[in-house]
Amino acid sequence: MAVAKELGQKEVFDLGAFDSVTRSNEGIWIPILHPITGEETSTEFCMLGPDSAEYTAWQDEQAKKTQEYMIREMANARSKKKRSATEQAQLDLETDIDLLCRLTKGWKEARWNGEELEFTPENVRMVFSKNAVIRLQLRRDIEDRERFFMMTSKA
């Protein structure tokens, strides 16, 4: 390819090299970073990605809920009953937790207050509800499509 570039030709782009759907559906292991040092810990979460069928289904559900909410808001406009900022913030938090619960497929070496934490739907929800650091880190990491490219070893 170096000869082609020397002659002013562009590199051929392999469209299949940036497949993020496969790994999004399989899930990748994401190490939890220490909140102070930023170093990787031994705890890892297996997360589905932004191009997974599960994430897409969640987005479709959210779009439908938003549409239903807008219809109710228009109907309630006459009564001037609106959601408070606090109510909206709580709803946004619950929505975020729901997404993370759906995308979490496992964990390794998870502990809670010194005890080994079994991987169950209830424990997953508890961790995301009570630990903003983990919730925010994993939310950021799953939105990073590059982590889910088949060609990368970033994850």
Side-chain angles (χ1 to χ4, degrees):
M1 202 44 83
V3 174
K5 285 191 174 191
E6 287 175 17
L7 297 174
Q9 294 177 353
K10 294 181 182 177
E11 183 176 348
V12 176
F13 184 72
D14 182 353
L15 299 174
F18 295 95
D19 167 21
S20 62
V21 174
T22 301
R23 286 187 66 196
S24 282
N25 280 312
E26 292 171 352
I28 62 169
W29 287 97
I30 300 175
I32 299 301
L33 305 179
H34 188 281
I36 296 173
T37 66
E39 292 183 25
E40 288 185 8
T41 68
S42 62
T43 303
E44 294 181 295
F45 279 60
C46 183
M47 304 298 295
L48 299 181
D51 295 320
S52 67
E54 191 68 38
Y55 195 111
T56 302
W58 176 85
Q59 286 178 316
D60 291 345
E61 290 168 17
Q62 293 309 305
K64 184 177 180 182
K65 286 179 183 179
T66 299
Q67 184 179 29
E68 290 168 354
Y69 172 75
M70 296 303 288
I71 290 169
R72 280 194 311 274
E73 282 297 298
M74 288 171 43
N76 289 336
R78 284 172 247 138
S79 67
K80 298 189 181 186
K81 181 182 176 187
K82 293 193 177 199
R83 223 180 254 159
S84 72
T86 303
E87 290 170 326
Q88 185 61 50
Q90 183 62 34
L91 181 61
D92 291 346
L93 175 61
E94 290 170 13
T95 301
D96 210 38
I97 291 169
D98 287 343
L99 172 64
L100 289 168
C101 288
R102 287 177 70 162
L103 298 182
T104 305
K105 296 304 166 192
W107 57 42
K108 296 177 185 173
E109 297 192 38
R111 297 196 173 285
W112 191 264
N113 294 327
E115 300 290 323
E116 185 176 335
L117 190 61
E118 181 182 359
F119 182 77
T120 65
E122 297 79 20
N123 284 343
V124 171
R125 182 164 296 282
M126 183 269 301
V127 167
F128 291 131
S129 297
K130 293 185 175 186
N131 195 314
V133 171
I134 292 173
R135 183 177 64 247
L136 294 171
Q137 180 200 333
L138 290 173
R139 188 69 164 100
R140 180 194 68 231
D141 288 347
I142 62 170
E143 294 299 333
D144 182 4
R145 250 186 197 89
E146 189 177 324
R147 286 180 166 273
F148 295 89
F149 289 160
M150 290 298 293
M151 61 173 287
T152 187
S153 61
K154 180 179 177 183

